[in-house]
Amino acid sequence: MRIRLEGIHFTYPGRVEALRGVDLVVEAGERVALIGENGAGKTTLARHLNGLLKPDRGAVWIGDWNTRDRTVGRLAARVGYAFQNPDDQLFARTVREEVAFGPRNLGRDPETVDRDVDWALEQVGLGGTLDLHPYDLQAAERKLIALAAVLAMRTPVVVLDEPTMGQDSRGIERIGRIVEELAAAGRTVLTISHNIDFCAEHFRRVVVLSQGQVAVDGPVEAVLSKAAILNQAQVDPPQLVRLAQALDWPQAPLTVEEFLAAWRARAGES
């Protein structure tokens, strides 16, 4: 499902201009990371995708739907949004009710809802929590429950706001695997993240936002290997890029596999 933003402007009360003429197209099935300094407009942009915010000027299209013409409830059938803070999202008395809320409100039959709930919780590794209250879980687990609630809706577009925040290495690995599986299923995945290593490993396109505008938009290799671009966005390069630069390598590997391949190639040359 194609996403299209046309000249988006948005100003918060108090005349805080968060978006200033953003144009952006995301094709169906793309994996796109939105990065930039705090206050760059990343979350504001993302909340336009599911109708939580509507532009002051411009238009947002999700497929053939203009978000101005659709409620948040209708847009939830196309765009699933996992909040940065799960406590802004969770409200039900049990994990089962929480994860079932979305698919049930999309009109699915009870058997399908149960199947979606079980599948989503299995994906995040919390299948044994069905009857627990979400707030009896740790913060990192609540974040995974919020993600499961989005996964259960099986939307064509999934937006993840700082998905790795508060997660240990195992949790980050699990979320990365989920991103890969969503992409393999042809679903569009967008993330807002300050975890640049996570972006480098699991996303194929990077959009750098600065002062409410798109500063840079390109393939992950072209964007995350350029120190000047990342300095502009007040973002550190991925660890492997920094290591390659310290070794004075001309190439900038983004994954461990690429780094090891480059290391072996250089060792063979010597």
Side-chain angles (χ1 to χ4, degrees), residues 2-236:
R2 195 175 197 235
I3 299 169
R4 184 159 43 98
L5 284 70
E6 301 175 338
I8 297 301
H9 289 258
F10 183 82
T11 301
Y12 286 105
R15 298 185 178 180
V16 178
E17 191 175 22
L19 296 176
R20 301 187 294 132
V22 172
D23 293 299
L24 186 67
V25 174
V26 177
E27 300 293 347
E30 280 199 278
R31 280 177 277 172
V32 180
L34 305 176
I35 68 172
E37 73 271 22
N38 291 332
K42 304 181 299 295
T43 296
T44 300
L45 187 156
R47 290 187 177 185
H48 276 76
L49 301 181
N50 67 347
L52 286 174
L53 298 176
K54 302 293 176 71
D56 298 327
R57 284 185 285 155
V60 178
W61 294 87
I62 308 297
D64 58 351
W65 286 5
N66 187 324
T67 61
R68 288 186 185 278
D69 304 328
R70 309 286 170 169
T71 64
V72 173
R74 291 292 304 280
L75 286 164
R78 294 193 172 186
V79 180
Y81 192 119
F83 284 56
Q84 175 179 335
N85 182 355
D87 297 347
D88 292 338
Q89 182 173 341
L90 304 177
F91 65 92
R93 293 180 179 273
T94 67
V95 168
R96 184 194 309 272
E97 292 172 4
E98 185 70 52
V99 181
F101 178 81
R104 184 180 295 127
N105 279 274
L106 293 177
R108 295 176 190 159
D109 62 82
E111 183 178 344
T112 301
V113 170
D114 288 344
R115 187 164 59 246
D116 290 339
V117 169
D118 290 341
W119 170 79
L121 286 171
E122 185 67 26
Q123 292 297 300
V124 301
L126 292 173
T129 65
L130 279 166
D131 297 319
L132 298 179
H133 195 293
Y135 288 95
D136 288 336
L137 301 174
Q138 297 178 358
E141 292 174 319
R142 293 201 300 276
K143 196 167 182 73
L144 292 174
I145 293 298
L147 173 56
V150 170
L151 295 176
M153 297 176 71
R154 298 185 183 270
T155 54
V157 179
V158 176
V159 180
L160 307 174
D161 195 342
E162 297 290 357
T164 64
M165 183 177 290
Q167 298 293 322
D168 60 16
S169 60
R170 182 177 298 180
I172 293 172
E173 182 180 351
R174 184 181 296 278
I175 293 168
R177 186 167 63 250
I178 289 170
V179 170
E180 298 290 340
E181 290 173 356
L182 291 172
R187 294 161 75 180
T188 305
V189 187
L190 295 93
T191 190
I192 302 163
S193 184
H194 284 87
N195 187 335
I196 301 303
D197 294 294
F198 177 78
C199 295
E201 186 169 358
H202 298 292
F203 289 82
R204 297 294 171 264
R205 177 180 168 195
V206 175
V207 176
V208 180
L209 291 177
S210 179
Q211 298 181 358
Q213 296 179 310
V214 174
V216 181
D217 180 359
V220 62
E221 299 86 356
V223 176
L224 295 188
S225 62
K226 301 293 188 291
I229 293 174
L230 298 181
N231 286 338
Q232 177 185 353
Q234 299 183 28
V235 172
D236 290 330

